[in-house]
C-alpha cells in the first residue's frame, strides 16, 4: 500500500480510511480523541522526516528541534500577540521551512554519520536554547507557555476536542496530498536518485544541492506544522517536552512504520502514540526498552517496516500477477 | 584573575573527561568508521554498576576496578552480538542500531535503578590539596585521565596486541592476510572503549550526580572534542577534549552564561564539520556518499 | 605430492562468476606461475585461495587439508604468505612495525629475530628505512616490504600478485632474483601471478595460462615458452 501509483482499489481504500478517520471523534471518548489527534500530529512530522531520511537519505537525529520550533512559534504567537490558532500553523510551517533550509545548507557538505552527528547535537542542545534567559520573555523559560483550547467555529455543535481533531485531520489530509504529489513527481524521483546514486544523479543533471536543501526545508516545514498542531492539542509547551528523545522517537516512527513509505508514517505514528501507553503500565522506563528492542528487531528482521509487512500481505491477498509485480516494484517507495 | 584561573583548571578537569570519552569514540571510529552514539549511555550504565557495588559495601577502588573489567566485557559482547552484524550495512542502519542501544541502555538503567538522582562518591579527599584553583577531585580526575592515556599509549605502542589492533584499524584485509583475527580485534576495541568510558563516567558522576541522562551532555562535548581534534586521531581527541573543556568553562563564565553551554558544543560540532572536517590532527575525512 | 591442489574452482564478486572451473597445482618447493592479461582473473584466483571470496566453490587442498570455506586468517596461519595486489602496506605504521605485523602469529622469538635479519639481508633498503613510516616508502620499497611481510610469517607457500607491477626493470630483476633465493634456500613453494610472462616463465617450472577466467593452456614453463600462441600473445615476438 505504500506505493505512489493510483488505482481503483487503492482509491477506495484511502477513501475508507478517511471516512473512518472522520467518524472517529464521534464514537470515541474524549481522551481517545486526544490520542488519535496526536497520532495525526505525529503522522505529519513523520511524513516530513521520512521525506528527508527515507526518500532522500539524509539522516536526521534532531527533528525534535524543528518540532519544538513549530510548537513555540504557535505558542508565542497565540500567547503574546493573540494570533488566532489557525494562523499560527502556516506561520510555524514557513518559519521552520526557513530554519530547515538554513540548516540544510551546511548539512549539504555532511554525509551519513556526520549529518547524524550534527543533527543529534541540534536535538540535544534544543531544550537549553529554549530555556535561555534572553528569550524568557517570549518562551516563558523553564515554565513554558500555557495555551487555551480553541472553540469550534461557525457555531458547530461539537466539543473542543472533536473540533481540534477535525481541524488537525483536515490539515493532515492536505499535507499528505501535497507530499504524495511532491514525491511522485520529478522532485520525488530526484530525491530517491540522490539517495541511491548520488554521483549518477549529479551526472544526470539533477541539482543535488538544491534538491537536498529543499528537502531539508520541506521536511522541517512538516515538523513545524506538526509542532504547532501538537502545541495547540496539548495546550502547553515547555523546554522539557522537547528533549533529544523526541527526535529519536520520530526516527523510531519512520523505521518501524517503514522507511520511504507514505502509508508507513501512519503505522509509525500509531506505534509511537500507543505502544508507550501499553508499555507504560509495566514501568516508566519500559516504553524505551520496548522501543529499543522493536527498533533492533525491525532493522534486522523487517527493514521495510510495518508498511513492508502490509505490502507483502496485500500482494499475497490480491490474486493476479500484475499487482504482485507492482508491489515488488514499489518496494522502495 | 583568580576566578579565571579557577575556570581554566576546572575546565581542564572536565576536559580530561571529555578527552577520555572522545578517545573511546575515536577508537571505534578508527577501526569501523562508526560513530558510537551509545558510548555515553554505556558509560552511564557502567557508572551505575560501580554505584551498586559501592552500595553493596565494596571499597571504592575495588568497585572501580571491577566496573572497568565488567564494562570491557559488556563492550566486547555488544560488538560480537550486535555491531558486527551491521558492519557492512548502510549508514542509516548502523545509526539506528546505535540509537537502539542508546535507548535500551538508558531505559534498562532507569528500570533497574529508577530515575531518582543519586550521589556518587569521589575517591579523592574533600579539602583542596593542590592550591586554591583546583579541587582535589578535579586534580584526581586529571591524574586518573593521564594514567589512562599513558597506559593506552604504552599498550598501543609497545605490545603486539596493541600493534595488531592498530593494524586492523588501518587495513583489515592486510591484517587478515597476516593471520590476525580481525573480528576479535574489533571486539577488543569495543571492550577497551567501553572501559575508558566507564572510567570517564565514574570520574564525572561526583560532579554531575548520577542519573540515567547524565551522559547526554557529556557525550556531546566528547563528540565536539573528537571532531575538533580529528575524528581519527587519538592525540587530537585528547587535545580536543582539553580545549573543549576549557572553552566550555570560559564561554559559560564570561560569554554565553551557563545555560547555553551545550550550544557551545553544538556550534563547535557544526563549525568543525563545515570548516575543517579533518579537525586539527585528522588524516582523512571519509565521506561516505 | 603437491603443496597446493586446486580443482574446479569457480568464484566471482557478485551475481556472475569470474573464474570458471579452474584447476592447477603447486609442487612442494616448486614454483608455479599463472599468466594472463588484464582482467583474466589472476588476482581473483589468489583471493579465492585465501578465503577472501564468499562465492568461491570447488576444492582447494593445502598440504592435504581442505581449506574451502575457512576464514582468511585461518588459511594464512596454515603457512600461506600472500603478497596482495596493491601491496597492502600499513601506511601509518613504520617499516619495522609492518614486519612485526607479518610475524604476529609466531611465538618463536629467536626465529623471528633471525627472519628479521634475513629479510634485511634480502632487502638492505628496508633496513635503512626501518623506522620510517611505510606510507613514505617508494613503490619498489613497498613491494619489497610486502614480500618481506609475507616472509615474516615463515610461510610454506608464498602467493605473489604481480610483484613486477609498476616497478623499474632493475628493481624487478632484483625482486625476481630474491624470489629464486627464497625458493632455493628457504624451500618455500611459490605461486606467482604475472603479466610479465618472460620473467615469470624463466623463474617458474610449471605455468598456466588464464584467459577470461579459464585455464586455456598449461605445462612445464620451458615448453610454454616455446609455444607459438604464448609467444605471440604474452611474449610479443
Ligand atoms: N572487487 C571486485 N568487484 C567486482 N568485480 C571485480 C572485483 N575485482 C575484480 N573484479 C572483476 O573480476 C575480473 C577479474 O579481475 P582480476 O582482478 O582477477 O583480474 P587480473 O587478472 O588480476 O587483472 P590485472 O592483471 O589487471 O590485475 C575483472 O573483470 C574485474 O573487473
Ligand atoms: Mg590483478
Amino acid at each position: 500500500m505504500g506505493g505512489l501509483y493510483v488505482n481503483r482499489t487503492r482509491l477506495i481504500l484511502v477513501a475508507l480510511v478517511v471516512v473512518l478517520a472522520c467518524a472517529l471523534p464521534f464514537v470515541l471518548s474524549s481522551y481517545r480523541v486526544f490520542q488519535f489527534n496526536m497520532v495525526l500530529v505525529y503522522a505529519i512530522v513523520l511524513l516530513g522526516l521520512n521525506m528527508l531520511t527515507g526518500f532522500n537519505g539524509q539522516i536526521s537525529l534532531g527533528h525534535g528541534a524543528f518540532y519544538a520550533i513549530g510548537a513555540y512559534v504557535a505558542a508565542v504567537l497565540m500567547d503574546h500577540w493573540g494570533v488566532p490558532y489557525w494562523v499560527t500553523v502556516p506561520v510555524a510551517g514557513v518559519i521552520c521551512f526557513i530554519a530547515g533550509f538554513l540548516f540544510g545548507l551546511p548539512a549539504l557538505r555532511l554525509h551519513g554519520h556526520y549529518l547524524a552527528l550534527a543533527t543529534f547535537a541540534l536535538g540535544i542542545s534544543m531544550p537549553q536554547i529554549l530555556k535561555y534567559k534572553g528569550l524568557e520573555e517570549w518562551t516563558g523559560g523553564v515554565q513554558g507557555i500555557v495555551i487555551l483550547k480553541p472553540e469550534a467555529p461557525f457555531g458547530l455543535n461539537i466539543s473542543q476536542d472533536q473540533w481540534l481533531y477535525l481541524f488537525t485531520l483536515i490539515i493532515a489530509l492536505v499535507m499528505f496530498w501535497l507530499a504524495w504529489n511532491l514525491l511522485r513527481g520529478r522532485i520525488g524521483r530526484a530525491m530517491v536518485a540522490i539517495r541511491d546514486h548520488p554521483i549518477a544523479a549529479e551526472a544526470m543533471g539533477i541539482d543535488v544541492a538544491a534538491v537536498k536543501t529543499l528537502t531539508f526545508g520541506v521536511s522541517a516545514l512538516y515538523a513545524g506544522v506538526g509542532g504547532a498542531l501538537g502545541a495547540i492539542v496539548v495546550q502547553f509547551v515547555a523546554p522539557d517536552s522537547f528533549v533529544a528523545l523526541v527526535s529519536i522517537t520520530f526516527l523510531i516512527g519512520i523505521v518501524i512504520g517503514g522507511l520511504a513509505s507514505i502509508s508507513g508514517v501512519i503505522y509509525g505514528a500509531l506505534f509511537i502514540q500507543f505502544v508507550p501507553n501499553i508499555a507504560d503500565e509495566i514501568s516508566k522506563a519500559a516504553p524505551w526498552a520496548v522501543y529499543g528492542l522493536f527498533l533492533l528487531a525491525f532493522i534486522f528482521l523487517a527493514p521495510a517496516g510495518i508498511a513492508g509487512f502490509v505490502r507483502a500481505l496485500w500482494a499475497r491477498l490480491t490474486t493476479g500477477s500484475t499487482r504482485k509485480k507492482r508491489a515488488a516494484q514499489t518496494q522502495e517507495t | 584573575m583568580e576566578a579565571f584561573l579557577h575556570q581554566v583548571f576546572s575546565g581542564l578537569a572536565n576536559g580530561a573527561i571529555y578527552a577520555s570519552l572522545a578517545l573511546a569514540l575515536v577508537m571505534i571510529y578508527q577501526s569501523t568508521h562508526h560513530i558510537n552514539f551509545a558510548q555515553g549511555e554505556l558509560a552511564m550504565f557502567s557508572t551505575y554498576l560501580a554505584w551498586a557495588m559501592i552500595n553493596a559495601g565494596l571499597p571504592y577502588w575495588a568497585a572501580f576496578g571491577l566496573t572497568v573489567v565488567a564494562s570491557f566485557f559488556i563492550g566486547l559482547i555488544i560488538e560480537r552480538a550486535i555491531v558486527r552484524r551491521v558492519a557492512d550495512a548502510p549508514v542509516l542502519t548502523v545509526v539506528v542500531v546505535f540509537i537502539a542501544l542508546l535507548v535500551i541502555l538508558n531505559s534498562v538503567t532507569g528500570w533497574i535503578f529508577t530515575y531518582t538522582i543519586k550521589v556518587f562518591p569521589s575517591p579523592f579527599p574533600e579539602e583542596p590539596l593542590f592550591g586554591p584553583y583546583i579541587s582535589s577531585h578535579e586534580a584526581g580526575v586529571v591524574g586518573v585521565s593521564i594514567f589512562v592515556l599513558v597506559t593506552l599509549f604504552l599498550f598501543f605502542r609497545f605490545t603486539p596486541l596493541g600493534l595488531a589492533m592498530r593494524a586492523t584499524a588501518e587495513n583489515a584485509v592486510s591484517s587478515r592476510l597476516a593471520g590476525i583475527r580481525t573480528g576479535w580485534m574489533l571486539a577488543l576495541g569495543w571492550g577497551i572503549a567501553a572501559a575508558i568510558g566507564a572510567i570517564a563516567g565514574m570520574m564525572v558522576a561526583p560532579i554531575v550526580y548520577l542519573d540515567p541522562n547524565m551522559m547526554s551532555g557529556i557525550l556531546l562535548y566528547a563528540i565536539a572534542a573528537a571532531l575538533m581534534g580529528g575524528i581519527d586521531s587519538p592525540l587530537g581527541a585528547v587535545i580536543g577534549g582539553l580545549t573543549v573543556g576549557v572553552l566550555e568553562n570560559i564561554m559559560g563564565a564570561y560569554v554565553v552564561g551557563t545555560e547555553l553551554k551545550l550550544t557551545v558544543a553544538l556550534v563547535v560540532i557544526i563549525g568543525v564539520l563545515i570548516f575543517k572536517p579533518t579537525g586539527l590532527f585528522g588524516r582523512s575525512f571519509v565521506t561516505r556518499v | 605430492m603437491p603443496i597446493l591442489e586446486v580443482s574446479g574452482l569457480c568464484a566471482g564478486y557478485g551475481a556472475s562468476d569470474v573464474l570458471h572451473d579452474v584447476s592447477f597445482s603447486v609442487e612442494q618447493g616448486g614454483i608455479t606461475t599463472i599468466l594472463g592479461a588484464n582482467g583474466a582473473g589472476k588476482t581473483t584466483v589468489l583471493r579465492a585461495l585465501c578465503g577472501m571470496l564468499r562465492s568461491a566453490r570447488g576444492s582447494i587442498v593445502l598440504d592435504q587439508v581442505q581449506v574451502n570455506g575457512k576464514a582468511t586468517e585461518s588459511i594464512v596461519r596454515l603457512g600461506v604468505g600472500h603478497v596482495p595486489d596493491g601491496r597492502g602496506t600499513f601506511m601509518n605504521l613504520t617499516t619495522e612495525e609492518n614486519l612485526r605485523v607479518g610475524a604476529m602469529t609466531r611465538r618463536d622469538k629467536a626465529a623471528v629475530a633471525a627472519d628479521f635479519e634475513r629479510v634485511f639481508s634480502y632487502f638492505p633498503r628496508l633496513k635503512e628505512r626501518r623506522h620510517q613510516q611505510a606510507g613514505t616508502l617508494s613503490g619498489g620499497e613497498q613491494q619489497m616490504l610486502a614480500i618481506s611481510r609475507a616472509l615474516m610469517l615463515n610461510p610454506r607457500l608464498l602467493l605473489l600478485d604481480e610483484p613486477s607491477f609498476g616497478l623499474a626493470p632493475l628493481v624487478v630483476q632484483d625482486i625476481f632474483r630474491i624470489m629464486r633465493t627464497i625458493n632455493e634456500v628457504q624451500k618455500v613453494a611459490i605461486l606467482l601471478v604475472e603479466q610479465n610472462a618472460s620473467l615469470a616463465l624463466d623463474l617458474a617450472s610449471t605455468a598456466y595460462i588464464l584467459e577470461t577466467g579459464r585455464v586455456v593452456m598449461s605445462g612445464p614453463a620451458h615448453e610454454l615458452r616455446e609455444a607459438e600462441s604464448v609467444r605471440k600473445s604474452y611474449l610479443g615476438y
Side-chain angles (χ1 to χ4, degrees):
Chain A
M1 279 174 54
L4 300 170
Y5 59 93
V6 206
N7 69 17
R8 243 199 15 241
T9 340
R10 208 166 223 294
L11 224 54
I12 293 170
L13 263 174
V14 171
L16 214 68
V17 170
V18 172
V19 168
L20 228 110
C22 289
L24 266 180
F26 303 103
V27 293
L28 294 177
S29 72
S30 82
Y31 180 64
R32 288 268 178 248
V33 173
F34 164 77
Q35 286 184 320
F36 276 99
N37 205 339
M38 287 312 289
V39 169
L40 293 174
V41 169
Y42 291 146
I44 295 171
V45 180
L46 295 186
L47 186 54
L49 181 59
N50 218 353
M51 280 187 210
L52 183 71
T53 301
F55 285 93
N56 195 213
Q58 301 191 72
I59 303 171
S60 171
L61 297 179
H63 248 48
F66 298 111
Y67 183 71
I69 294 173
Y72 266 86
V73 166
V76 171
L77 286 177
M78 289 163 72
D79 184 58
H80 244 250
W81 286 291
V83 176
Y85 68 96
W86 50 271
V87 178
T88 67
V89 176
V91 174
V94 169
I95 289 179
C96 282
F97 176 84
I98 295 167
F101 190 84
L102 291 179
F103 197 88
L105 282 177
L108 268 181
R109 299 191 46 183
L110 306 178
H111 300 278
H113 278 106
Y114 299 94
L115 184 57
L117 262 185
T119 50
F120 185 67
L122 179 68
I124 290 186
S125 32
M126 202 62 203
Q128 259 201 356
I129 297 173
L130 295 174
K131 283 178 197 164
Y132 181 51
K133 282 257 175 349
L135 299 171
E136 202 164 12
E137 193 192 330
W138 291 282
T139 60
V142 187
Q143 303 299 320
I145 304 168
V146 175
I147 302 165
L148 294 179
K149 207 182 261 188
E151 295 284 344
F154 324 119
L156 283 175
N157 190 21
I158 54 176
S159 77
Q160 288 168 319
D161 288 321
Q162 286 168 330
W163 163 242
L164 209 48
Y165 173 92
L166 291 175
F167 176 68
T168 311
L169 180 63
I170 293 165
I171 292 178
L173 288 174
V174 173
M175 299 303 275
F176 268 75
W177 183 76
L178 289 174
W180 181 69
N181 271 302
L182 183 78
L183 289 171
R184 73 188 182 134
R186 203 168 49 82
I187 295 179
R189 282 195 303 276
M191 282 161 64
V192 173
I194 289 169
R195 176 195 69 190
D196 293 339
H197 310 284
I199 294 162
E202 186 104 56
M204 268 154 55
I206 294 174
D207 187 345
V208 173
V211 173
K212 283 175 88 168
T213 36
L214 189 73
T215 310
F216 222 114
V218 171
S219 170
L221 182 151
Y222 273 72
V225 168
L229 288 168
I232 298 166
V233 174
V234 179
Q235 297 173 262
F236 178 57
V237 293
D240 290 330
S241 325
F242 302 103
V243 291
L245 287 180
V246 172
S247 302
I248 294 177
T249 311
F250 294 151
L251 181 76
I252 290 168
I254 59 166
V255 170
I256 288 182
L259 286 166
S261 155
I262 292 181
S263 60
V265 304
I266 298 171
Y267 311 129
L270 287 167
F271 182 91
I272 60 179
Q273 174 59 34
F274 290 107
V275 169
N277 279 301
I278 300 163
D280 231 0
E281 286 159 21
I282 308 171
S283 144
K284 180 172 171 281
W288 287 98
V290 171
Y291 271 172
L293 291 176
F294 263 98
L295 211 46
L296 284 183
F298 269 88
I299 213 80
F300 283 123
L301 305 174
I306 298 175
F309 270 134
V310 173
R311 220 155 28 225
L313 206 67
W314 184 248
R316 188 179 286 211
L317 286 179
T318 52
T319 44
S321 60
T322 51
R323 286 225 184 87
K324 265 184 199 162
K325 224 196 250 154
R326 270 187 186 156
Q329 273 169 358
T330 51
Q331 262 234 317
E332 285 301 299
T333 56
Chain B
M1 190 61 205
E2 204 159 294
F4 181 79
L5 277 183
H6 182 79
Q7 292 295 346
V8 170
F9 279 113
S10 86
L12 284 176
N14 290 348
I17 292 167
Y18 304 152
S20 306
L21 205 60
L23 197 60
L25 290 170
V26 166
M27 280 192 57
I28 289 178
Y29 183 85
Q30 274 190 317
S31 51
T32 52
H33 286 190
H34 292 159
I35 286 159
N36 182 6
F37 288 97
Q39 196 79 60
E41 303 307 289
L42 212 53
M44 175 277 297
F45 183 75
S46 300
T47 312
Y48 269 94
L49 286 184
W51 179 84
M53 289 185 220
I54 293 168
N55 243 30
L58 242 61
Y60 181 90
W61 290 109
F64 182 96
L66 279 177
T67 300
V68 170
V69 173
S71 305
F72 172 83
F73 283 106
I74 292 171
L76 195 90
I77 290 167
I78 289 180
E79 200 283 337
R80 297 298 288 189
I82 299 170
V83 178
R84 60 175 25 217
R85 284 170 206 272
V86 293
D88 304 318
V91 180
L92 180 59
T93 308
V94 178
V95 170
V96 168
V97 165
F98 285 151
I99 292 297
L101 281 175
L102 181 159
V103 159
I104 291 173
L105 283 165
N106 185 287
S107 63
V108 166
T109 312
W111 205 337
I112 302 174
F113 298 102
T114 76
Y115 282 92
T116 32
I117 292 170
K118 295 178 169 57
V119 175
F120 191 86
S122 165
F124 307 108
E126 288 274 337
E127 60 276 8
L129 296 178
F130 301 94
Y133 302 126
I134 187 164
S135 75
S136 290
H137 180 73
E138 286 168 345
V141 167
V142 173
V144 168
S145 304
I146 290 174
F147 175 78
V148 169
L149 297 179
V150 170
T151 310
L152 283 172
F153 175 79
L154 295 177
F155 170 74
F156 281 113
R157 180 78 13 173
F158 295 111
T159 67
L161 193 56
L163 179 62
M165 288 180 68
R166 276 193 291 150
T168 303
E170 192 188 320
N171 189 335
V173 175
S174 278
S175 299
R176 275 195 289 277
L177 287 180
I180 296 172
R181 302 215 182 274
T182 51
W184 278 106
M185 295 303 121
L186 296 182
L188 216 56
W190 263 78
I192 294 175
I196 300 170
I199 295 174
M202 288 184 282
M203 290 294 111
V204 80
I207 304 172
V208 300
Y209 299 106
L210 191 55
D211 98 274
N213 299 319
M214 72 179 205
M215 290 309 276
S216 74
I218 304 207
L219 177 67
L220 205 59
Y221 288 119
I223 289 174
L227 289 173
M228 185 186 260
I231 186 78
D232 56 1
S233 162
L235 175 70
V238 174
I239 293 172
L242 296 177
T243 313
V244 168
V246 174
L247 191 71
E248 172 214 0
N249 264 15
I250 305 284
M251 295 292 281
Y254 302 110
V255 187
V256 295
T258 46
E259 318 140 48
L260 279 187
K261 276 175 158 192
L262 276 177
T263 315
V264 173
L266 172 70
V267 171
V268 169
I269 289 174
I270 295 181
V272 172
L273 282 177
I274 291 165
F275 296 110
K276 187 136 182 28
T278 52
L280 297 174
F281 301 94
R283 268 188 289 253
S284 59
F285 180 63
V286 180
T287 53
R288 293 189 151 185
V289 181
Chain C
M1 184 79 246
I3 185 166
L4 177 71
E5 177 108 62
V6 175
S7 55
L9 179 65
C10 300
Y13 295 91
S16 63
D17 276 347
V18 169
L19 301 181
H20 311 278
D21 194 20
V22 171
S23 303
F24 63 92
S25 61
V26 180
E27 288 304 315
Q28 206 93 41
I31 302 183
T32 295
T33 184
I34 298 181
L35 304 175
N38 288 115
K42 305 182 295 295
T43 299
T44 309
V45 169
L46 297 192
R47 286 188 182 143
L49 292 183
C50 283
M52 296 162 82
L53 298 176
R54 247 181 247 154
S55 62
R57 301 169 314 280
S59 149
I60 303 168
V61 179
L62 185 75
D63 217 4
Q64 297 167 349
V65 181
Q66 188 86 31
V67 299
N68 317 44
K70 281 198 195 228
T72 303
E73 50 268 38
S74 306
I75 296 172
V76 166
R77 280 162 184 253
L78 291 172
V80 180
H82 187 152
V83 181
D85 176 52
R87 299 165 192 147
T89 311
F90 296 99
M91 303 286 186
N92 296 319
L93 304 185
T94 63
T95 301
E96 181 179 327
E97 282 173 333
N98 266 272
L99 296 175
R100 291 220 321 263
V101 169
M104 192 62 75
T105 55
R106 294 171 64 184
R107 293 287 162 265
D108 44 346
K109 279 207 177 125
V112 170
D115 279 348
F116 256 102
E117 288 317 310
R118 199 206 305 266
V119 298
F120 283 150
S121 74
Y122 290 151
F123 303 112
R125 207 96 74 84
L126 292 184
K127 191 167 189 175
E128 291 163 27
R129 309 262 186 279
R130 192 168 181 159
H131 300 295
Q132 193 171 321
Q133 224 190 350
T136 63
L137 298 182
S138 75
E141 288 163 347
Q142 286 193 33
Q143 190 63 62
M144 297 173 197
L145 181 59
I147 296 172
S148 302
R149 208 174 55 232
L151 286 177
M152 290 307 291
L153 250 148
N154 192 22
R156 291 180 291 163
L157 172 66
L158 193 58
L159 312 178
L160 292 141
D161 197 337
E162 296 197 45
S164 71
F165 184 79
L167 302 185
L170 276 177
V171 181
V172 173
Q173 274 178 20
D174 222 30
I175 286 180
F176 272 72
R177 185 175 48 75
I178 288 160
M179 283 196 296
R180 185 177 293 286
T181 315
I182 292 166
N183 174 254
E184 283 171 0
V185 178
Q186 292 183 250
K187 304 284 177 251
V188 179
I190 292 179
L191 174 60
L192 170 68
V193 149
E194 258 302 341
Q195 278 196 62
N196 190 332
S198 169
L199 273 174
L201 289 173
D202 280 347
L203 183 70
S205 48
T206 313
Y208 294 80
I209 309 256
L210 202 62
E211 269 172 24
T212 56
R214 288 191 171 76
V215 175
V216 292
M217 200 187 274
S218 64
H222 62 91
E223 277 178 24
L224 286 200
R225 182 176 257 297
E226 305 306 320
E228 169 99 20
S229 60
V230 174
R231 265 199 1 238
K232 274 208 183 113
S233 327
Y234 295 96
L235 297 169
Y237 57 84

